[in-house]
C-alpha cells in the first residue's frame, strides 16, 4: 500500500499492481482519511438545513405523525444558531410550512425556532405521497442559497404512489449536487427502493426507524452528523495516460455509492468526481482503470489520484500496472479490493434475493440469499448476517439456507435498506 499525508488528510492506495500477460484492467482501493485537526481549522461555507416531513394520511396511524412532529422539533433544536433552515410538508404536493412568508428559509435563533415549532403544531396528516414534488421544493430552497452547504432530511412512511417513477427520476436529476439528502422510512409500509434511489442520487444515507418513538433520537443524530461536516466539499481528480480510461469509481465505505456517472471532464485525460462535504472521517473508493497491455516486465502509470479542496491538491496517490508472466504475482489479490468487491456482490445478492421473494420466484430468492449468507460470513459483515437470519433460516451444522415462511415486514425492510452499508476490512489475523 502506498500512502501520503498532508494538511490533515491522508491518502493511501491499495492494489496488486501485477497483471497477467495481456490483461488490461487494474483495480485499486483509495482510502481517504480526514483528521480532527483539519476539521478544526476548516472554514465551512454557509449552511442550510431542510426538513421534509411526510404528512400523508397514513402518518396518522400508530402515532407516527405525533412522533415525527416531536422529532422535527428535536432536529430544529440541534441546528446551530445562524444556520438557514426550512420545513416542508409532503403529501401529493409540497408546501412550505416554515417560513410561510415566501422567503424560503430563516436563520436559526430562539424566535425562529419558536415560530417553527408553532407552525408544526398546525399540521395534520392528510393526503398522498409524491416525493418528487417534495424534492422539487427542496431544490428551490437550495437554489436560493448558492454556495451554501445544503442538507435535507426526508421522512416517509409510505410508497411513492402519487407520481410516476420517471417524475421522481427527473426531479432527482435536477436536484443532484444541490443538496445532500438523508432518508428515513418509519414503520413497515414504505418501499426501500424509493429511499435507495433518493439517497444514492443525493449522496445521503437511508435507514429504517421501525418504532416511531425512536424518531427524535435518530433526527438529532442526523442533524449532529450534518453539523460535524465542517470540511467543504472535496473532489477526486483522476488523471489517466493516453490509451487508458476510467471504467468505474465507487465509494465502497462506509456506504456503497456509484460515482462513475458523476464524472466531469476537466482536461485532457482528466476527470473529477464530487465527494461531498466531510467531517473527521475515513471513506474508501474502488477505482478501476482499463489500459493497453504492455510486454511482460514493463510498468505503466495507470492513474494519478488527487484529492482537492477547490483547486488545492491535499494529497495524491498513484495506481501502477506491471505486466508479468509470474502467476504467483499476477494472481495475488489485494485484500481491500477483494473485500469491497465482495461487499458490492453482497448488496446485489440481498436486493435481488428480496426482489425475487416479493415476486414469488422462491428458487431464485433462495439462491441469491444463500449467496448473501456466504458473502456476509466471508467478509465478517456481522450486521448483515444478523439481518439475513430474519429472512432465512441457516442450519449451522451444514450451512443449509432456506426461506422463512413468515417474515416480519420490518425485518425485510431493515435487510434491504441496510444492504448498502459496508463492513470495514478486518485486520490481518482478526
Amino acid at each position: 500500500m502506498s500512502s501520503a499525508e498532508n494538511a490533515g488528510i491522508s491518502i493511501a492506495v491499495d492494489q496488486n499492481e501485477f497483471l497477467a500477460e495481456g490483461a488490461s484492467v487494474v483495480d485499486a482501493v483509495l482510502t481517504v482519511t480526514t483528521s480532527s485537526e483539519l476539521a478544526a481549522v476548516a472554514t465551512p461555507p454557509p449552511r442550510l438545513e431542510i426538513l421534509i416531513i411526510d404528512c400523508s394520511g397514513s402518518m396518522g396511524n400508530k402515532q407516527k405523525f405525533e412522533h415525527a412532529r416531536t422529532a422535527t422539533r428535536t432536529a430544529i433544536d440541534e441546528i446551530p444558531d445562524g444556520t438557514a433552515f426550512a420545513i416542508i410538508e409532503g403529501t401529493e404536493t409540497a408546501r412550505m410550512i416554515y417560513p410561510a412568508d415566501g422567503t424560503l428559509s430563516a436563520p436559526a435563533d430562539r424566535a425562529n425556532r419558536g415560530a417553527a415549532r408553532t407552525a408544526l403544531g398546525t399540521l395534520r396528516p392528510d393526503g398522498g405521497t409524491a416525493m418528487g414534488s417534495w424534492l422539487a421544493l427542496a431544490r428551490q430552497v437550495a437554489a436560493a442559497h448558492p454556495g451554501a452547504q445544503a442538507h435535507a432530511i426526508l421522512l416517509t412512511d409510505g410508497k411513492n404512489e402519487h407520481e410516476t417513477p420517471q417524475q421522481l427520476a427527473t426531479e432527482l436529476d435536477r436536484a443532484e449536487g444541490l443538496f445532500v439528502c438523508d432518508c428515513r422510512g418509519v414503520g413497515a409500509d414504505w418501499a426501500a427502493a424509493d429511499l435507495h434511489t433518493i439517497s444514492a442520487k443525493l449522496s445521503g444515507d437511508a435507514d429504517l426507524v421501525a418504532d416511531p418513538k425512536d424518531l427524535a433520537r435518530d433526527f438529532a443524530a442526523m442533524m449532529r452528523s450534518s453539523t460535524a461536516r465542517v470540511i467543504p466539499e472535496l473532489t477526486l481528480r483522476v488523471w489517466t495516460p493516453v490509451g487508458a480510461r476510467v471504467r468505474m469509481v465507487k465509494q465502497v465505505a462506509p456506504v456503497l455509492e456509484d460515482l462513475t456517472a458523476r464524472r466531469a471532464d476537466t482536461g485532457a485525460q482528466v476527470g473529477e468526481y464530487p465527494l461531498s462535504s466531510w467531517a473527521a472521517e475515513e471513506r474508501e473508493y474502488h477505482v478501476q482503470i482499463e489500459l493497453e497491455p504492455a510486454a511482460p516486465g514493463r510498468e505503466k502509470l495507470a492513474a494519478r489520484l488527487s484529492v482537492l479542496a477547490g483547486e488545492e491538491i491535499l494529497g495524491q496517490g498513484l495506481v501502477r500496472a506491471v505486466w508479468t508472466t509470474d502467476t504467483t504475482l499476477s494472481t495475488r489479490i489485494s485484500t481491500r479490493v477483494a473485500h469491497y468487491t465482495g461487499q458490492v456482490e453482497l448488496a446485489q445478492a440481498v436486493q435481488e434475493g428480496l426482489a425475487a421473494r416479493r415476486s414469488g420466484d422462491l428458487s431464485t430468492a433462495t439462491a441469491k440469499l444463500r449467496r448473501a449468507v456466504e458473502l456476509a460470513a466471508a467478509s465478517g459483515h456481522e450486521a448483515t448476517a444478523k439481518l439475513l437470519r430474519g429472512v432465512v433460516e441457516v442450519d449451522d451444522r451444514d450451512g443449509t439456507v432456506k426461506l422463512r415462511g413468515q417474515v416480519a415486514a420490518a425485518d425485510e425492510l431493515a435487510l434491504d435498506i441496510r444492504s448498502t452499508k459496508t463492513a470495514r476490512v478486518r485486520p490481518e489475523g482478526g
Side-chain angles (χ1 to χ4, degrees):
M1 176 185 287
S2 62
S3 61
E5 185 165 355
N6 181 46
I9 186 170
S10 66
I11 309 294
V13 176
D14 191 291
Q15 66 162 134
N16 175 19
E17 66 269 30
F18 293 101
L19 301 180
E21 185 177 7
S24 61
V25 176
V26 59
D27 292 273
V29 170
L30 172 71
T31 302
V32 181
T33 307
T34 50
S35 70
S36 55
E37 290 78 13
L38 178 60
V41 299
T43 303
R47 302 183 64 86
L48 169 66
E49 295 289 348
I50 308 169
L51 295 156
I52 309 169
I53 307 305
D54 187 339
C55 296
S56 61
S58 59
M59 284 289 289
N61 301 327
K62 301 178 181 178
Q63 294 189 307
K64 286 181 287 189
F65 192 72
E66 289 81 354
H67 288 295
R69 188 156 44 196
T70 298
T72 306
R73 288 169 174 156
T74 301
I76 292 169
D77 289 342
E78 292 284 345
I79 298 175
D81 283 349
T83 299
F85 76 103
I87 305 172
I88 292 172
E89 173 194 51
T91 57
E92 67 272 18
T93 60
R95 183 168 67 98
M96 184 69 71
I97 293 304
Y98 186 82
D101 59 4
T103 58
L104 296 181
S105 73
D109 58 26
R110 182 175 180 179
N112 288 337
R113 287 191 185 94
R117 293 169 71 91
T118 299
L120 283 167
T122 68
L123 293 178
R124 298 293 181 269
D126 183 38
T129 303
M131 298 177 200
S133 69
W134 309 353
L135 295 169
L137 183 50
R139 173 172 56 84
Q140 292 177 38
V141 176
H145 294 76
Q149 191 165 294
H151 168 251
I153 294 174
L154 184 151
L155 173 71
T156 187
D157 79 325
K159 301 175 178 65
N160 198 41
E161 296 175 327
H162 291 85
E163 65 185 7
T164 67
Q166 184 55 49
Q167 285 175 300
L168 176 60
T170 298
E171 186 47 53
L172 284 170
D173 286 340
R174 293 169 175 164
E176 184 178 12
L178 285 177
F179 59 94
V180 170
C181 187
D182 290 329
C183 301
R184 290 296 183 268
V186 60
D189 297 319
W190 46 278
D194 292 337
L195 300 197
H196 275 309
T197 299
I198 295 169
S199 62
K201 188 74 168 178
L202 301 183
S203 301
D205 172 63
D207 209 345
L208 159 78
V209 182
D211 189 339
K213 294 178 182 177
D214 295 329
L215 280 172
R217 181 174 58 206
D218 189 69
F219 270 44
M222 279 191 287
M223 198 60 73
R224 286 194 292 269
S225 177
S226 174
T227 302
R229 297 188 199 111
V230 296
I231 302 170
E233 182 171 290
L234 301 181
T235 301
L236 173 62
R237 177 181 290 170
V238 182
W239 172 89
T240 51
V242 173
R245 70 179 183 92
V246 180
R247 291 181 57 171
M248 178 184 73
V249 175
K250 284 185 179 179
Q251 179 179 291
V252 289
V255 176
L256 297 176
E257 183 179 352
D258 194 343
L259 306 179
T260 309
R262 298 182 191 171
R263 176 186 175 101
D265 291 313
T266 56
Q269 301 299 118
V270 177
E272 295 187 351
Y273 304 82
L275 303 185
S276 189
S277 55
W278 289 57
E281 60 181 304
E282 180 179 281
R283 302 182 197 175
E284 297 195 283
Y285 303 89
H286 183 180
V287 180
Q288 190 175 79
I289 308 295
E290 183 176 9
L291 68 169
E292 297 172 351
R298 285 281 308 279
E299 176 178 345
K300 285 185 178 181
L301 178 60
R304 181 183 297 112
L305 311 178
S306 306
V307 176
L308 295 82
E311 287 301 314
E312 179 185 1
I313 296 176
L314 300 182
Q316 288 188 330
L318 302 178
V319 181
R320 296 182 172 88
V322 181
W323 282 266
T324 180
T325 56
D326 185 343
T327 57
T328 61
L329 293 176
S330 62
T331 58
R332 189 177 65 205
I333 300 174
S334 159
T335 301
R336 272 185 160 75
V337 170
H339 175 81
Y340 288 122
T341 299
Q343 296 279 285
V344 172
E345 186 184 353
L346 170 58
Q348 291 174 338
V350 166
Q351 292 173 23
E352 291 171 4
L354 292 177
R357 182 182 177 278
R358 286 191 291 268
S359 68
D361 185 354
L362 301 187
S363 61
T364 297
T366 301
K368 293 288 186 181
L369 293 174
R370 180 189 302 118
R371 179 60 177 155
V373 169
E374 295 168 355
L375 290 165
S379 63
H381 203 320
E382 296 174 2
T384 295
K386 182 178 179 180
L387 291 170
L388 278 162
R389 287 177 179 263
V391 178
V392 299
E393 296 179 21
V394 181
D395 190 324
D396 293 326
R397 295 169 299 178
D398 59 10
T400 301
V401 174
K402 65 178 182 179
L403 298 177
R404 291 188 180 275
Q406 297 292 325
V407 176
D411 288 343
E412 181 176 340
L413 278 172
L415 175 60
D416 195 341
I417 201 67
R418 293 172 183 163
S419 60
T420 57
K421 300 180 192 301
T422 55
R424 296 287 187 184
V425 179
R426 289 180 294 189
E428 294 294 331

